[in-house]
Amino acid sequence: MTGGEPRPGAEKRFHGIGVSPGIARGVVVHRTEDELPPVREVSEADIPEEIARLEDALLATRGQILSLQERIAGSIGAKDASIFDAHLLVVEDRTLLDEVLRTLQRDRLNVEHIFSRVANRYAATLEQIDDPYLRERATDIHDVARRVIRNLTGKEARDLGAWKTEHLLVAHNLTPSDTAQLNRSSVLGFATDVGSKTSHTAIMARSLNIPAVVGLHSFSEQVDNGDDILLDGYNGVVILNPNEQTLWEYGELEIKKTEVEEQLHKLRETQSTTADGRHVILSANIELPDEVEQVNECGAEGVGLFRTEFFYLNRTGLPTEEDQFQAYRDVAQAVAPHSVIIRTLDLGGDKLMTALNLPEEENPFLGCRAIRFCLERPDVFKTQIRAILRASACGNVRMMYPMISGVEELRRANAVLEECRRELVAEGQPFNAEMEVGAMIEIPSAAVCADLLAREVDFFSIGTNDLIQYTIAVDRLNEKISHLYEPTHPAILRLIRTVVDAGHAEGIWVGVCGEMAGDVVLAPLLLGLGVDELSAGAAVVPRVKRAVQSLDMKSCLELVESVIREESPAKIQARCEELARRLYPDLL
Ligand code: PEP
Ligand code: MG
């Protein structure tokens, strides 16, 4: 490893949000920030300065490319060196630079951020075109953009791929697609300055079993490559230069946690049934098809939420019907006889796909995401639905729509489903005509109208991650207001109760597939509210099962009775913790 030996020094603790449990120790590797320069606002008066910085960076980039070209021409030959002519053209590309200047004037953000955004969009447009020459130009733009941004930020280029040995990744930010690409064998854990518990980056880390701490403010600026750190994903702490005493304490903690994990593993074959005999279906959430192995391993009853967006990220083109059919079929067959609930595409928000070249939006979480996007792009939607329907012939497949806001939207989605069914019948393709179709309830309007929606679907799955975000109007990604993101807010309890009651009145089952379902402290609350299914990350399924087995419905119902008129989220949380501490203290 070229990061050097760990730097000796005094122990220093940094506090953030533990989003994926586990303890990891290793040396720091900084993620190259050149593709994700931090964003900062600039005033009108600063704009000339930003333009001057850009001009200097372009000049430096040009000089670097020319000297690289000279070196290559001398060592390999002029023909190979000529590829850099295309790079020089990028530095002088007027369309690109004018767009950067226009966006800078309009958005007033630091120029490295603007440059990276415009260059990425420009490259994405070229990648769409079915012409190998233009696609090659997109690669040139990415290369040159990295160089320009490095010159703007003064950061060295570091190739993450070069770090094949075990390390802890430190970054200002990681997107969900970055996280999906992490090398699981060498990344022991990661720590970021920004982030929150219900971001898809955090959800991904839990799925991949990578301990992670986010929301560490300026941590990434305070450590260097090769520094020795210990990361505690349980408590959201990162310790630089851990001393002997700390290492001993963490060694003890790890032993205890391992003992609990071993106990939990023994529950694999048991049912998630309360002490007084109420069976709650306990299934697992997956983001990638190959996580299905963990679903069976953790003792879940199938997949309660298959987030299909990750299938669309990290690729240049769209997945074909055949690609998707094979993935859905494989998952369905792996979990049979249990079911897999495939959620239709939920792109948008923090999950963006370059291949679709979506326009930037002011408020992406309130924008054209999920079902709204799918209804606007029936070509993309139909390809997925056809693949899901075909997979329904090969196992126990259910399908649900994300972000349903009301009955008319649901009917429009069902009309597309009907069209796909008719096409498959005409083509003689087999599918399950009785496949259950559900709606996610994650927008307050859907929760309030749950009685109307319940007549038109086979089940509800409550997406608490978004339901909390939209009900309390608190951005689920913004660590600055994460204290306001309260699952035990009385409004959330009331909405869950409304949805469960409306579903049961129409004879349909109601699950919860947001992160609340994986929180053992909140399990008694959800059970008491009448939820029929909990779907959580595979890593936490055994813990939830133990919690359910330790509970009885009488205590759960009493808990709900005692908190339903409570005003304070903190007091409701405390009551839940009290019960959890009494019945399963080792899980906390
Ligand atoms: C949710 O919103 O609770 C949910 C499960 O969906 P996602 O986290 O993918 O938005
Ligand atoms: Mg959601």
Side-chain angles (χ1 to χ4, degrees), residues 41 101 111 137 156 169 174 180 191 217 301 310 366 368 469:
E41 285 180 13
L101 295 179
V111 74
R137 290 263 302 143
E156 288 286 297
L169 183 61
L174 289 175
H217 309 288
E301 292 171 77
F310 289 89
L366 302 179
C368 185
Q469 148 164 278

Side-chain angles (χ1 to χ4, degrees), residues 512-563:
V512 171
C513 64
E515 296 303 293
M516 249 178 117
D519 186 339
V520 290
V521 169
L522 303 179
L525 195 62
L526 296 179
L527 262 59
L529 287 166
V531 165
D532 304 293
E533 179 233 27
L534 297 172
S535 191
V540 294
V541 160
R543 303 163 65 77
V544 178
K545 192 183 273 185
R546 246 292 301 288
V548 171
Q549 290 175 348
S550 313
L551 287 163
D552 60 90
M553 285 311 291
K554 186 166 169 287
S555 311
C556 298
L557 290 167
E558 278 172 7
L559 172 75
V560 169
E561 263 327 290
S562 74
V563 298

